[in-house]
């Protein structure tokens, strides 16, 4: 019973599934190809439930395999059990199990983001906060309306809502797992110290009060970022067309993705409502059949059955749309935001480089502290150029990732739509024959 | 004691007066149809009606014209009516919408087999009211006419005249009304008696403009009076408890009330489906636009092309969802609404029967009183008053007879109408469900074709 006080336990990894999984990113093309870090990174369409091997035969050298092996939903929070198997030298044990909450994932993301050494990389976007408010609200409303419906109807609705809750749950687990796996498969992030701490330190990583600060801080930070963007793009002319174009493209693209994601969500939500209406119609028909007799009763009861089945089919279409299209749009909305952040950091670096250049000129003209200025300028130059090189690679990687992910999602979306439509057509055809026989 | 004797006498007298194979006169009191070239071969009397009713029923009598037509209900006669092409006629506040009413039929009552005429909305209301006035008291179910839409019709009046007087008008409610008018006329034409009613025939056939049915306008004086009458009647319905001899009627009205309640639920669910589906259509359109924006922005050509095709698909699906909403609406929602209206008409005829019973009881009361009077004058040897008293007794005897006849007639008619209604209700329901499913099947096929056309573009992304 999901009345908020109980705990629900999800034992299977989100990959052994029946439709609840989402595979979002294909493996990072920069990741070392030897290890089993991302055995489950390949897509499994919800219907071919190929579960990832729970224990790969043997770990190679420098392997880092991360998964969320268990998760617990408890009142306001979700507790993820992160299981790590590794042969990396820095780790004390080969096998680690820790329990982490969402805030600790945010902590890890922030630590990596603020690390200046990583300025030239796209920081994998932080997973969204687990949000069961909608499901909880619905279950509550169901409880309140229990008197208004028949036992059958109540049972049906309850199991439906529980399934919805479960799906939301599985999704949040998957998103947190994808985040970790992206880090674990990145050549630089995988050896980050904070990641190691996250994976093996068996105590809580952050005290509660920080949550509030973090939110506030985050808000201020994001404000600052936007003004930065405006400032930088106004004053710093990029020396490289590639980056100039990329920034423009990403800014526009990010906006469109955000809008598309929000509209897709509204659409799939309404589609679910259409499904629910069919259930109401089915219930009304069932009631109608009780006052009919003979073959009229049979006919009406069959009609009720048909509408219920249509409801199931339409709901599947809606949730698959959400899965394939919605999730992809949402994820790349966040990822493109991270890519944009990289470009902004690079522009800041460029500004610093230009400042260093001006300082050097000034120093030379005054013939004072020339050596210091030269060193500073050389450093700034190197920093900038390595960031540019790194950034370019990251952006190309991002583009490839994005294109591959969209391709996969679109192909799967089309396949599912066709499959569901064929199913519904076949079902309706059979039902029509059955109805005509009764009539 | 005194009361009992007259009733006993009454029964005896009735037995004597046994109306038997007379002419169609008794029934034609109610029919009032001038019928110039009247229904020719249907004049014979036959007392075929086998009693399945309780022994306490004294008489049942079927008027001839009814019987033959009921028996030939599903025979070789067909009639098909279409209502189409709404057009604005005239200008300003006096303008109105005219609909083309096209009939195809082989019923001999009509002069031709295919013909059409122009009618306006109030004409439809007019013919409905005419039929109600003629036949409801006899227990016939008259299909309700579509409701008024003052705001919509005023909009039409106020809208500027189109470039050509013949241009069709595109307002959604007009289509809803047109479809409702068509269903109304169609249903009326399925009724074996109504379909050959002179006024109805005239309505379909005649080229001439019909006299303005002024009393049907929403705000007319007559309309307000009718409203008052209805209210009074409703009060009557609640307070008068009829002494029911035949449990069939109580059972039947309960059945109808249950059906009504169930269909109300179904109607609500259907309305929610229609509105969700329409919203879904609009939201799908927005997704299509977003996909198009992404496509123009996207730098990778393959993905851009796929996104552009996705936008196409979603646009097509937007239209399809709108089509689905229309089938939800016209095939199911409006259909259920029609039946909710018919239940109202049924409740009316049951009420008419109660009124007939009341009249009968009233007449019987009066007869008793007159007999009492007569008795008193006999006793008091008042020869002068006796004559008149005797006259009155005879007068009321006649009335009681006629009232009972009416009551019996309406009771029998209602049974027949309900039987016919039951058959056509089931037939209609089955036909509509089947049609709905067929339409959904077609929609699913369209969906398949759209996505199958899209799939290659997704696969081709390099």
């Amino acid at each position: 019973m999901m009345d908020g006080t109980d705990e629900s336990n999800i034992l299977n990894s989100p990959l052994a599934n029946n439709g609840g999984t989402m595979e979002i990113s294909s493996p990072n093309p920069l990741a070392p190809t030897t290890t089993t870090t991302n055995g489950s990174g390949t897509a499994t369409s919800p219907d071919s439930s190929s579960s990832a091997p729970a224990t790969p035969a043997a770990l190679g050298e420098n392997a880092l395999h991360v998964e969320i092996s268990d998760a617990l939903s408890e009142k306001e929070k979700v507790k993820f059990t992160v299981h790590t198997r590794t042969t990396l030298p820095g780790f004390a044990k080969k096998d680690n199990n820790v329990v982490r909450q969402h805030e600790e994932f945010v902590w890890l993301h922030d630590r990596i983001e603020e690390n200046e050494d990583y300025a030239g990389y796209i920081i994998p976007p932080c997973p969204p906060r687990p949000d069961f408010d909608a499901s909880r609200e619905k279950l509550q409303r169901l409880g309140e309306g229990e008197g208004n419906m028949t036992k059958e109807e109540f049972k049906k609705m309850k199991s439906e809502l529980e399934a919805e809750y479960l799906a939301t749950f599985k999704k949040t687990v998957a998103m947190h797992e994808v985040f970790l796996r992206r880090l674990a498969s990145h050549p630089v992030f995988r050896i980050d110290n904070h990641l190691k701490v996250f994976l093996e330190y068996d105590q809580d990583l952050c005290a509660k009060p920080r949550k509030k600060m973090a939110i506030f801080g985050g808000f201020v930070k994001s404000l600052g970022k936007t003004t930065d963007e405006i400032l930088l793009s106004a004053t710093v002319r990029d020396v490289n067309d590639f980056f100039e174009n990329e920034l423009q493209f990403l800014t526009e693209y990010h906006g469109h993705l955000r809008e598309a994601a929000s509209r897709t969500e509204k659409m799939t939500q309404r589609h679910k409502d259409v499904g629910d209406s069919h259930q109401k119609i089915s219930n009304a028909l069932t009631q109608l059949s009780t006052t009919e007799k003979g073959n009229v009763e049979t006919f009406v009861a069959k009609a009720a059955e048909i509408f219920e089945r249509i409801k199931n089919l339409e709901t599947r279409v809606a949730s698959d749309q959400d899965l394939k299209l919605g999730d992809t749009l949402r994820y790349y909305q966040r990822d493109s935001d991270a890519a944009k952040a990289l470009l902004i950091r690079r522009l800041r670096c460029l500004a610093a480089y230009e400042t260093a250049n001006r300082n050097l000129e000034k120093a030379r003209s005054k013939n004072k502290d020339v050596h210091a200025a030269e060193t500073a300028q050389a450093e700034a130059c190197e920093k900038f150029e390595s960031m540019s090189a790194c950034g370019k690679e990251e952006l190309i990687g991002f583009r490839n990732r994005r294109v591959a992910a969209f391709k996969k999602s679109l192909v799967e979306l089309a396949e599912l739509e066709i499959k569901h439509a064929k199913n519904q057509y076949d079902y309706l055809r059979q039902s029509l024959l059955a109805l005509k026989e009764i009539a | 004691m005194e009361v009992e004797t007259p009733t006993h006498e009454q029964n005896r007298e009735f037995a004597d007066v046994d109306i038997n194979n007379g002419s169609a006169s008794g029934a034609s009191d109610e029919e009032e149809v001038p019928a110039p070239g009247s229904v020719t071969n249907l004049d014979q009397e036959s007392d075929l009606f086998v009693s399945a009713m309780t022994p306490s029923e004294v008489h049942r009598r079927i008027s001839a014209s009814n019987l033959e037509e009921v028996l030939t209900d599903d025979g070789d006669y067909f009639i098909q009516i279409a209502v189409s092409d709404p057009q604005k006629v005239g200008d300003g506040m006096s303008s109105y919408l005219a609909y083309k009413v096209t009939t195809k039929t082989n019923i001999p009552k009509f002069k031709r087999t295919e013909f059409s005429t122009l009618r306006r909305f109030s004409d439809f209301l007019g013919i409905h009211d005419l039929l109600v006035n003629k036949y409801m008291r006899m227990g016939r179910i008259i299909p309700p006419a579509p409701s008024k839409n003052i705001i919509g019709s005023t909009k039409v009046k106020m809208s500027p005249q189109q470039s050509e007087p013949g241009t069709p008008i595109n307002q959604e409610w007009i289509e809803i009304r047109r479809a409702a008018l068509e269903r109304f006329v169609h249903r009326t034409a399925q009724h074996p008696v109504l379909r050959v009613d002179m006024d109805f025939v005239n309505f379909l056939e005649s080229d001439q403009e019909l006299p303005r049915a002024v009393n049907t306008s929403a705000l007319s004086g007559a309309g307000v009076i009718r409203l008052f009458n209805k209210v009074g009647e409703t009060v009557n319905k609640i307070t008068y408890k009829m002494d029911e001899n035949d449990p069939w009627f109580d059972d039947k009205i309960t059945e109808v009330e249950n059906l009504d309640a169930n269909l109300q639920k179904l109607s609500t669910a259907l309305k929610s489906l229609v509105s969700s589906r329409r919203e879904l259509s609009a939201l799908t359109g927005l997704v299509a636009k977003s996909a198009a924006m992404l496509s123009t922005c996207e730098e990778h050509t393959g993905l851009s092309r796929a996104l552009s095709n996705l936008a196409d698909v979603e646009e097509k699906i937007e239209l399809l969802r709108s089509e689905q909403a229309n089938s939800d609406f016209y095939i199911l929602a409006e259909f259920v609404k029609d039946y909710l209206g018919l239940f109202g008409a049924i409740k009316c005829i049951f009420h008419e029967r109660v009124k007939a019973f009341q009249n009968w009881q009233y007449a019987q009361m009066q007869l008793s009183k007159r007999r009492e009077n007569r008795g008193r004058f006999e006793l008091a040897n008042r020869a002068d008053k006796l004559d008149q008293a005797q006259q009155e007794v005879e007068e009321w005897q006649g009335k009681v007879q006629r009232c009972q006849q009416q009551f019996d007639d309406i009771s029998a008619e209602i049974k027949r109408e309900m039987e016919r209604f039951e058959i056509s209700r089931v037939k209609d329901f089955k036909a509509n469900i089947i049609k709905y499913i067929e339409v959904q099947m077609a929609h699913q096929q369209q969906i398949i074709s759209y996505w199958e056309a899209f799939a290659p573009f997704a696969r081709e992304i390099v």
Side-chain angles (χ1 to χ4, degrees):
Chain A
M1 258 315 304
M2 316 283 195
D3 58 0
T5 54
D6 296 313
E7 310 173 7
S8 96
N9 209 319
I10 308 291
L11 288 171
N12 21 331
S13 117
L15 302 161
N17 73 91
N18 38 10
T21 329
M22 24 139 284
E23 305 299 333
I24 298 175
S25 59
S26 24
N28 189 321
L30 301 175
T33 45
T34 50
T35 66
T36 55
T37 52
N38 219 347
S40 51
T42 50
T44 45
S45 82
D47 298 282
S48 65
S49 48
S50 54
S51 49
T55 40
L59 290 176
E61 271 186 44
N62 288 322
L64 181 61
H65 183 238
V66 185
E67 65 173 0
I68 296 183
S69 58
D70 197 357
L72 212 70
S73 165
E74 191 184 284
K75 236 187 176 161
E76 288 300 314
K77 40 201 163 149
V78 180
K79 293 192 169 147
F80 304 95
T81 301
V82 183
H83 175 225
T84 311
R85 291 170 63 240
T86 179
T87 47
L88 281 176
F91 283 77
K93 292 184 289 172
K94 277 218 168 104
D95 215 283
N96 295 277
N97 270 302
V98 293
V99 177
R100 294 285 175 238
Q101 291 184 38
H102 173 73
E103 289 74 28
E104 294 167 289
F105 285 77
V106 177
W107 172 89
L108 176 60
H109 170 264
D110 290 348
R111 297 293 79 66
I112 295 193
E113 193 181 33
E114 65 196 19
N115 187 335
E116 292 223 3
D117 290 342
Y118 301 147
Y121 298 102
I122 296 180
I123 315 294
C126 190
R129 197 180 67 83
D131 183 11
F132 296 102
D133 288 344
S135 284
R136 229 178 265 129
E137 209 187 277
K138 278 195 200 166
L139 272 165
Q140 191 170 355
R141 266 192 282 134
L142 177 68
E144 287 166 9
E146 187 174 351
N148 297 342
M149 46 183 105
T150 70
K151 230 176 174 183
E152 275 296 311
E153 291 171 9
F154 181 74
K155 236 176 33 174
K156 267 185 216 152
M157 274 214 77
K158 181 156 162 286
S159 68
E160 226 180 81
L161 285 179
E162 284 176 350
E164 224 181 84
Y165 188 96
L166 200 69
T168 313
F169 191 81
K170 279 187 177 170
K171 208 183 254 198
T172 192
V173 168
M175 305 211 69
H176 284 76
E177 192 179 74
V178 161
F179 170 68
L180 290 179
R181 287 196 166 164
R182 224 173 122 177
L183 291 174
S185 57
H186 192 279
V188 173
F189 297 141
R190 66 203 299 269
I191 49 180
D192 179 88
N193 201 42
H194 291 104
L195 178 62
K196 185 158 75 77
V197 169
F198 180 93
L199 293 176
E200 64 174 8
Y201 184 62
D202 58 5
Q203 304 291 315
D204 277 355
L205 288 174
C206 37
K208 287 299 150 54
R210 283 205 65 193
K211 197 166 46 157
K212 285 226 175 92
M213 266 295 288
I215 297 173
F216 187 62
F219 178 59
V220 172
K221 206 160 50 133
S222 65
L223 256 189
K225 217 174 6 162
T226 342
T227 35
D228 248 329
E229 283 177 39
I230 302 171
L231 216 63
L232 280 172
S233 38
T235 61
V236 177
R237 233 184 342 105
D238 203 325
V239 296
N240 193 331
D241 268 347
F242 171 81
F243 289 99
E244 178 106 12
N245 289 338
E246 279 297 295
L247 183 57
Q248 205 178 353
F249 162 70
L250 279 173
T251 312
E252 217 187 306
Y253 202 69
H254 171 78
H256 292 318
L257 281 174
R258 192 177 42 216
E259 191 180 63
S262 139
R263 287 177 173 181
T264 304
E265 184 164 352
K266 290 201 184 103
M267 177 184 80
T268 52
Q269 187 52 55
R270 189 61 73 244
H271 201 151
K272 287 209 177 90
D273 291 343
V274 167
D276 288 340
S277 296
H278 281 84
Q279 182 65 58
K280 284 190 229 152
I281 294 173
S282 172
N283 295 343
L285 285 172
T286 304
Q287 244 190 314
L288 185 62
S289 73
T290 58
T291 56
E292 303 282 2
K293 302 180 197 60
N295 82 344
V296 183
E297 183 187 351
T298 319
F299 188 93
V300 179
K302 178 78 182 152
E305 186 192 302
I306 293 173
F307 271 89
E308 188 171 67
R309 191 63 191 284
I310 295 180
K311 178 247 169 146
N312 290 339
L313 293 167
E314 291 289 336
T315 311
R316 279 299 295 278
V317 176
S319 55
D320 280 342
Q321 273 179 357
D322 188 44
L323 205 68
K324 296 298 163 188
L325 193 57
D327 280 349
T328 310
L329 289 169
R330 279 187 287 271
Y331 189 82
Y332 279 93
Q333 177 193 330
R334 289 197 293 277
D335 214 10
S336 60
D337 210 24
K340 238 178 33 168
L342 161 61
L343 287 173
I344 299 299
R345 289 196 295 271
R346 183 182 159 280
L347 279 179
R348 250 190 239 122
C349 188
L350 176 61
Y353 178 38
E354 293 195 341
T355 312
N357 273 340
R358 281 196 297 274
N359 285 345
L360 180 58
E361 275 179 37
K362 251 193 270 173
R364 283 199 177 135
S365 64
K366 290 192 194 153
N367 211 347
K368 194 175 159 201
D369 291 321
V370 173
H371 183 66
E374 275 177 350
T375 324
Q377 194 261 19
E379 265 176 37
C381 174
E382 213 227 288
K383 192 163 178 216
F384 175 69
E385 287 188 346
S386 81
M387 195 193 248
S388 294
C390 179
K392 191 164 188 174
E393 258 181 48
E394 285 278 300
L395 286 170
I396 293 176
F398 167 74
R399 195 230 268 210
N400 294 342
R401 232 187 7 254
R402 175 179 95 245
V403 173
F406 269 95
K407 173 178 180 174
K408 184 159 148 322
S409 297
L410 289 174
V411 167
E412 287 174 0
L413 176 67
E415 284 173 3
L416 286 170
E417 290 274 355
I418 293 171
K419 183 170 97 100
H420 290 318
K422 282 191 173 154
N423 276 350
Q424 194 172 139
Y425 176 80
D426 285 336
Y427 174 72
L428 289 176
R429 194 173 48 85
Q430 283 169 3
S431 306
L432 193 62
L433 293 172
L435 281 178
K436 285 187 172 159
E437 245 167 67
I438 303 175
Chain B
M1 288 297 106
E2 228 179 74
V3 181
E4 267 186 287
T5 341
T7 38
H8 182 65
E9 253 184 293
Q10 233 177 344
N11 278 342
R12 237 189 339 109
E13 277 179 288
F14 265 90
D16 290 342
V17 176
D18 190 296
I19 303 156
N20 186 3
N21 297 359
S23 61
S25 56
S28 63
D29 262 347
E30 278 66 58
E31 283 198 46
E32 289 170 346
V33 179
S38 82
V39 195
T40 46
N41 50 348
L42 306 175
D43 267 324
Q44 299 100 359
E45 277 294 279
S46 20
D47 220 346
L48 295 181
F49 203 90
V50 177
S51 159
M53 307 182 210
T54 56
S56 56
E57 294 259 330
V58 181
H59 280 289
R60 303 130 241 139
R61 185 178 174 281
I62 307 164
S63 87
S65 43
N66 291 353
L67 177 62
E68 292 294 330
E69 276 150 310
V70 168
L71 293 182
T72 58
D73 199 349
D74 279 326
D76 297 320
Y77 292 132
F78 84 90
I79 175 167
Q80 218 177 298
I81 311 181
V83 174
S84 60
D85 306 318
Q87 281 175 29
K88 183 170 172 187
V89 175
D91 223 346
M93 280 310 291
S94 64
S95 68
Y96 58 90
L97 277 175
Y99 300 85
K100 184 162 145 194
V101 182
T102 313
T103 314
K104 291 196 184 119
T105 179
N106 64 358
I107 294 179
K109 191 99 185 209
F110 294 89
K111 295 199 204 93
R112 292 167 287 168
T113 52
E114 257 187 67
F115 46 89
S116 74
T117 181
L118 286 176
R119 293 286 174 239
R120 54 189 293 187
F121 182 65
S122 54
D123 291 340
F124 288 82
L125 295 184
I127 186 67
H128 168 262
D129 286 354
L130 261 176
L131 294 175
V132 162
N133 286 339
K134 282 196 220 172
Y135 296 104
M136 190 168 82
R137 269 178 297 132
M138 295 165 62
R140 298 218 163 95
I141 303 172
I142 318 293
S147 51
K148 294 181 196 288
N149 180 347
I150 299 186
I151 299 174
S153 52
T154 314
K155 261 202 215 150
V156 170
K157 289 188 202 285
M158 301 312 290
S159 71
Q161 178 65 296
Q162 313 279 322
S163 44
E164 302 148 25
T167 8
I169 304 180
N170 291 330
Q171 287 181 40
E172 202 180 297
W173 70 271
I174 294 185
E175 172 53 26
I176 298 177
R177 170 173 284 191
R178 184 211 61 79
L181 288 174
E182 195 172 80
R183 290 193 308 273
F184 161 66
V185 200
H186 176 81
R187 251 192 210 103
T188 309
Q190 298 313 301
H191 193 295
V193 169
L194 299 180
R195 67 167 42 152
V196 293
D197 172 87
M198 270 320 288
D199 285 309
F200 187 64
V201 168
N202 197 41
F203 171 85
L204 290 176
E205 243 187 359
S206 152
D207 280 329
Q208 291 173 337
E209 246 182 63
L210 295 176
R212 267 304 296 285
V214 188
N215 292 340
T216 64
S217 69
L219 304 171
S220 78
V224 175
I225 291 177
R226 254 183 319 172
L227 208 60
F228 274 134
N229 283 341
K230 267 202 153 55
V231 172
E233 281 204 13
T234 321
V235 175
N236 195 356
K237 271 180 203 169
I238 301 170
T239 53
Y240 185 78
K241 205 46 190 127
M242 179 171 140
D243 185 17
E244 185 60 78
N245 262 340
D246 187 351
W248 186 95
F249 289 91
D250 277 339
D251 289 343
K252 206 45 144 179
I253 202 69
T254 311
E255 244 181 70
V256 170
E257 277 164 6
N258 283 342
L259 209 54
D260 195 352
N262 286 335
L263 281 193
Q264 290 281 3
K265 275 222 181 89
L266 187 58
S267 173
T268 311
L270 285 168
K271 282 197 195 129
S272 116
L273 174 63
V274 173
S275 89
S276 293
R277 196 93 83 166
R278 289 215 194 279
E279 280 175 35
L280 175 61
S281 168
L283 293 168
T284 308
L286 288 178
V287 170
K289 292 202 176 78
S290 272
M293 301 288 300
L294 275 173
S295 165
T296 44
C297 181
E298 174 62 64
E299 16 172 54
H300 185 276
T301 26
L303 181 55
S304 170
R305 201 176 19 236
L307 285 171
S308 161
N309 273 282
L310 180 67
D312 277 343
V313 171
E314 296 289 358
E315 223 179 76
K316 291 197 183 108
I317 296 200
E318 175 191 2
L319 288 172
L320 185 131
R321 298 286 178 220
S322 183
E323 279 303 307
Q324 283 182 308
N326 282 341
S327 7
D328 297 336
F329 184 72
Y330 287 108
I331 303 179
L332 293 181
E334 286 283 86
F335 162 75
V336 169
K337 196 166 131 207
D338 284 352
Y339 270 83
L340 291 173
L342 280 167
F343 293 148
I346 289 177
K347 287 182 192 163
C348 280
I349 60 172
F350 274 74
H351 181 62
E352 289 295 321
R353 177 175 170 268
V354 170
K355 283 205 301 200
F357 185 80
Q358 278 178 292
N359 288 342
W360 182 23
Q361 296 302 89
Y362 177 76
Q364 282 184 318
M365 244 185 357
Q366 292 299 319
L367 180 59
S368 307
K369 265 207 224 144
R370 301 293 182 260
R371 286 207 174 113
E372 241 178 80
N373 271 352
R374 191 183 55 183
R376 255 191 292 125
F377 292 142
E378 273 177 3
L379 241 51
N381 262 317
R382 296 285 306 275
D384 54 328
K385 295 271 188 178
L386 200 54
D387 251 346
Q388 194 194 346
Q390 178 62 26
Q391 250 184 347
E392 284 180 0
V393 166
E394 279 166 19
E395 185 190 322
W396 280 100
Q397 262 173 357
K399 285 198 182 149
V400 167
Q401 220 167 280
R402 276 194 299 283
C403 281
Q404 180 171 21
Q405 192 57 65
Q406 274 174 18
F407 178 73
D408 290 342
D409 284 347
I410 193 177
S411 301
E413 189 61 51
I414 289 180
K415 287 192 178 180
R416 264 196 306 278
E417 285 284 291
M418 288 310 294
E419 199 178 301
R420 206 178 57 84
F421 174 76
E422 184 63 26
I423 294 173
S424 70
R425 166 178 88 86
V426 168
K427 197 168 100 176
D428 258 358
F429 181 79
K430 288 179 177 173
N432 275 43
I433 294 276
I434 286 179
K435 180 154 172 225
Y436 180 76
I437 293 183
E438 285 170 352
V439 166
Q440 290 307 317
M441 278 169 66
H443 286 143
Q444 292 305 312
Q445 291 215 296
Q446 276 179 298
I447 293 179
I448 294 173
S449 73
Y450 295 154
W451 287 103
E452 278 181 345
F454 167 77
F457 289 102
R459 284 195 286 267
E460 277 165 14
I461 301 175
V462 187

